[in-house]
Amino acid sequence: MSINYDPDGVPDVSSEVWDQADRMGLKPIHVICDEPGARVGDPEGVSFIAFGEHLPRTGERIILEDGSRLEVRGVIHKATMGENGMISMVANVVAYRISPQA
């Protein structure tokens, strides 16, 4: 699984991971972790693709593996056309750090 530190980039996930998630019935969620006060283009923050059964809702909390706590501030659904012409929609969860790393 890829973690992305480029604010303009998208995490790279292998086709094997996509296939496994599909077999398990899990949906992709692009999680964007921003720092409080960060502006567009700042090098702070991280994003990654997670797979889950349920989409986090605004106000819910996410705890990362490093112990950081995030609060979901919004969910944006983005439609993208793939190389084969199929349009897919992925949920982008925007969350802000509310506590530092452990």
Side-chain angles (χ1 to χ4, degrees):
M1 193 79 48
S2 175
I3 296 176
N4 182 39
Y5 294 96
D6 176 1
D8 296 322
V10 176
D12 183 34
V13 180
S14 71
S15 60
E16 292 84 14
V17 171
W18 286 103
D19 291 343
Q20 180 181 358
D22 188 49
R23 285 191 303 273
M24 297 173 69
L26 302 176
K27 303 297 180 209
I29 304 167
H30 182 205
V31 181
I32 303 164
C33 309
D34 278 335
E35 296 291 335
R39 296 178 186 262
V40 174
D42 285 352
E44 301 168 1
V46 64
S47 70
F48 57 91
I49 300 289
F51 294 89
E53 295 176 356
H54 305 286
L55 186 63
R57 296 173 299 202
T58 300
E60 291 186 329
R61 304 284 171 93
I62 299 171
I63 301 173
L64 301 181
E65 288 183 331
D66 68 1
S68 296
R69 294 178 184 270
L70 308 169
E71 182 175 298
V72 176
R73 298 286 175 94
V75 179
I76 301 165
H77 298 274
K78 182 176 180 185
T80 305
M81 184 175 296
E83 293 176 14
N84 61 2
M86 181 179 84
I87 298 174
S88 63
M89 188 172 304
V90 175
N92 292 267
V93 172
V94 180
Y96 289 84
R97 187 182 307 274
I98 56 175
S99 70
Q101 294 173 323

